[in-house]
Every structure is written in structure tokens, then in C-alpha cells.
Amino acid sequence: MSLSNRITTLTPDASGGWELFFRARAMIDAGEQVTELTIGEHDIRTDTRILDEMHRAARAGHTGYAAIPGIAPLREEIAARVQAATGVPTTLDNVVVTAGGQAALFAAHVATCDSGDRALFIDPYYATYPGTLRGASATPVPVKASPDSAFQPDPADIDAAAADGAASLLINSPNNPTGVVYSRTTLEGIAEVAQNSDFWVISDEVYDTQVWQGDHLSIRALPGMAERTLVVGSMSKSHAMTGSRIGWIVGPKEAIAHITNLSTHTNYGVAGFVQDAALYALRQGPGFEEEIAAPFRRRREIALDILAGQNVVRAVPPQGAMYLMLDIRATGLSGNAFAEKLLDTHRIAVMPGESFGKAASGHIRVAMTIGDDAFAAALKSLVAFAAAQI
């Protein structure tokens, strides 16, 4: 008797490349002072007004089974939000509520990929992407986005990867880990390849409220793409509701109906009182979302000011999301070596670029997720450390 090949090969290196994160957490658990700039967790908690609504809904009895595709008012609110942002007609029948963005990513690939199908994704990538594709029984195929092109994917590279067949392409803009927002030219090129090669696009847009430079464009809004795109959204980043585990997929009605059926056979819906809280949060409007995003916008400016005073550490243009991708190749160190040494000598924890794929080698990712003063002090120490390696 043995476990399935699917589960035992989900993450071939077991850690998913997050060894440094685990080591930093162990140091903290042992009582050491570590400045943690590793993961995308807000330094504020979920707003008490949202928690009050969650409490009210639970006490009012919304603790039983909730509608599996999501309660109608929430799906209508999500549809209205998406339509207002993109101009694409969207109704509640285009929306299914999921247990966070991660569950949405898995469901989207189950919906679009048969066993063994090639599922393309952009490298650098969010750490769970390859395992998610393997979990859906697809074959993960990375497509490199070069640092020399500011990590904008080249549609020609996607076209070349699709020549051997592809069921889907997973993109993420604003991007984690790079902080890059894909340009209209990039997205139009991807859309052309998707239509010519006839594959689905799964667009992870969980950072759509964190855009610092330029405009966020959903690929679903481009001509011919609404019928072949599944958009993943989430309350985690936009409303600091990471632990509430609530997200969604927006897509064609037929696909949403089948994904709803999948939900019936997996998590059987999302807690009703959490959905009520999400509905309340979304109804607070863009102003509330801007409040949640404001600290990251502010810290981006702090970082750019600090980095402007030297030429050893270069920032990949931070256009969106709560991260900085920093090019430290001038030090002669790999991202892994730099991050390990920084943790050892300064007790500052950052993520090696190699944690997110081969394309980000020689880079580190810094999460802008601690208070302004502490963030500025840590970044100054990082820059001084980098200069000392020359």
C-alpha cells in the first residue's frame, strides 16, 4: 500500500523552496529578534467593522450550510465590481465563491486541464503554482520572463511553449513576486497567442487594488477573451482578510456551473457568516480598499528614496503588489546566498528570488509588511550589507 503519485510529487523538493522562511520562523520561535520581510501578510489585522459583521451574521444564525456557489448578494456584488472595473458584462452566473484565491487556482485548473495536459505558467511565479498544477494532474510548464525585460512575459516565448500543446496559461498581474504590472502590449500579445493556440487563460488578479504605477488591465476585457478566461480574485490582499479564506472565480457561465459542481464535491461552500462579512467589506467601496493599500504605497516611496542613493541594489520597477523585487547580482551572490548571509549577520529575513523560479536568480523579494520606520531601517541595513559584499 502506498500514497498516490499525485500527492507525493506535489512539491518535489518538499519545502517548495522556502527553507529560509522556515529557518527564520524557527529563530523567532526560539526567541531571537528577526525582522521578517518574507510573506505577504498585512501588518494590520482585519478591520473590526468587518469582524463585527462576521460576528453579527454568525450570532444571527448564518452558521449552517451556505449556498455552494456563494450567496446571491455576494456574487452580485462581485459581478458588479468586476463589471465596473473592466467594462465586461458580468452577472452572478459568472461568479463562484471559493475558499480563498488558492482554492480558486486549483479549481480553475481542474476545470481546464485533463490529466497530463500541459499547463503553462510564468516564471518567476508565486510559490504554490507548480504544486497546484500537479495537484490538478496537469503537467507544469514554466515560461521564463526575463529580468532584462523587467519580467514582462514575451508572447513569443509563450507561443513557443504552446507549440507542443497547452490547455491553459496562468498569469498574475499585478505580479507576485516581481511587483510588475503587465502592460497592455504584453496582455494583447498573450491574448493573441491564447486564441491562436486555443488554450484557457487563468488570470490571478488578487493584487488588483494595489497598483502604484500605470493601470491594471484584466485580460478578460480584451476582445475574444471573456469566453476563454477564468479570473481569480480574493479578499485576502484587498481587504486584509487573509485568514477568512474567501475568494472567487469569474468566467463563462458554463465553466462556472461546472466549478460549482466541483465545489459540491470538495469544500461544499464557504461559511455563510464569512460571506456576509465579505459582502459588507466589498460594499465599503474603493475608498476602503485604498486605505488597506495605503501603507504599501507609502513604503514603496520610502524604498525608492533609499535605493536612489546607491547603485549596488537595483529595484525591478515596483508597479504593484506589496513586494519589492531587488536585483543583487552586483554583489556576486546568488539570491539564496545573499538572503542566508543577511539573516545570519543582520537578522533580516527576505525571500531568495530562486524560491520563485529560475528567472529570478540573483534577486531577492522584500515584503513591505512592517511599520514604516522599521521597514526603512531594515532596507538601509540591507543596502549597506550589499555594498559591503563588493
Side-chain angles (χ1 to χ4, degrees):
M1 183 175 68
S2 61
L3 294 170
S4 72
N5 183 66
R6 180 190 302 183
I7 200 72
T8 56
T9 61
L10 206 62
T11 51
D13 66 354
S15 71
W18 285 57
E19 294 89 348
L20 186 136
F21 168 75
F22 296 134
R23 187 160 81 87
R25 280 296 172 92
M27 292 167 67
I28 293 169
D29 290 343
E32 295 190 53
Q33 286 289 113
V34 175
T35 301
E36 195 172 7
L37 304 172
T38 53
I39 61 173
E41 178 75 74
H42 303 71
D43 51 317
I44 59 171
R45 300 297 88 186
T46 303
D47 191 282
T48 55
R49 291 167 292 178
I50 298 174
L51 297 178
D52 287 344
E53 178 58 21
M54 194 180 297
H55 178 74
R56 183 209 62 76
R59 291 300 297 265
H62 205 176
T63 55
Y65 294 124
I68 290 172
I71 59 173
L74 178 58
R75 291 160 64 213
E76 288 171 346
E77 190 70 27
I78 293 167
R81 179 182 188 267
V82 169
Q83 181 169 310
T86 66
V88 181
T90 308
T91 73
L92 82 168
D93 292 327
N94 298 115
V95 180
V96 59
V97 175
T98 63
Q102 185 59 54
L105 287 168
F106 178 76
H109 284 89
V110 171
T112 57
C113 298
D114 283 318
S115 182
D117 278 351
R118 287 163 50 86
L120 312 184
F121 64 105
I122 306 301
D123 175 0
Y125 50 82
Y126 175 54
T128 69
Y129 282 0
T132 300
L133 307 189
R134 294 188 193 98
S137 293
T139 301
V141 180
V143 180
K144 181 180 178 180
S146 171
D148 296 333
S149 301
F151 292 113
Q152 292 277 339
D154 187 337
D157 293 334
I158 297 170
D159 190 33
D164 292 328
S168 65
L169 167 69
L170 173 56
I171 63 174
N172 174 214
S173 177
N175 184 262
N176 174 16
T178 66
V180 170
V181 175
Y182 292 173
S183 69
R184 175 177 285 273
T185 299
T186 294
L187 291 172
E188 287 177 342
I190 292 172
E192 182 178 358
V193 173
Q195 292 175 65
N196 289 342
S197 296
D198 193 26
F199 57 70
W200 285 88
V201 175
I202 299 167
S203 184
D204 181 349
E205 301 181 16
V206 302
Y207 293 97
D208 64 352
T209 63
Q210 297 178 8
V211 179
W212 322 129
Q213 181 181 346
D215 297 309
H216 166 64
L217 172 64
S218 174
I219 197 168
R220 180 172 176 262
L222 295 178
M225 291 305 294
E227 59 266 32
R228 65 171 63 251
T229 301
L230 297 175
V231 175
V232 171
S234 170
M235 301 294 291
S236 292
K237 308 304 182 182
S238 59
H239 292 80
M241 294 178 67
T242 52
S244 297
R245 309 313 306 134
I246 186 158
W248 57 80
I249 300 173
V250 172
K253 292 180 182 180
E254 181 183 6
I256 294 302
H258 285 292
I259 294 170
T260 298
N261 189 31
L262 175 66
S263 296
T264 302
H265 295 87
T266 50
N267 62 340
Y268 209 77
V270 175
F273 55 89
V274 174
Q275 294 194 57
D276 285 340
L279 176 60
Y280 171 86
L282 287 175
R283 284 177 172 170
Q284 303 314 298
F288 182 82
E289 296 172 2
E290 290 170 7
E291 288 179 26
I292 301 297
F296 308 118
R297 181 185 295 276
R298 194 169 61 241
R299 290 165 198 158
R300 171 187 182 270
E301 295 302 319
I302 291 170
L304 291 177
D305 286 344
I306 292 170
L307 294 171
Q310 52 79 59
N311 57 10
V312 177
V313 178
R314 293 177 51 250
V316 174
Q319 299 169 315
M322 56 176 68
Y323 313 101
L324 300 171
M325 181 65 89
L326 301 180
D327 184 342
I328 48 84
R329 288 177 290 181
T331 67
L333 299 174
S334 68
N336 281 316
F338 185 97
E340 292 283 355
K341 196 171 181 181
L342 181 67
L343 180 60
D344 288 336
T345 59
H346 287 70
R347 297 297 189 265
I348 298 172
V350 299
M351 290 300 294
E354 291 85 352
S355 301
F356 307 102
K358 294 179 180 179
S361 298
H363 293 69
I364 57 172
R365 191 194 74 173
V366 175
M368 300 185 289
T369 50
I370 61 175
D372 294 11
D373 291 343
F375 176 72
L379 195 58
K380 288 176 182 177
S381 294
L382 186 156
V383 167
F385 168 80
Q389 309 309 306
I390 303 299

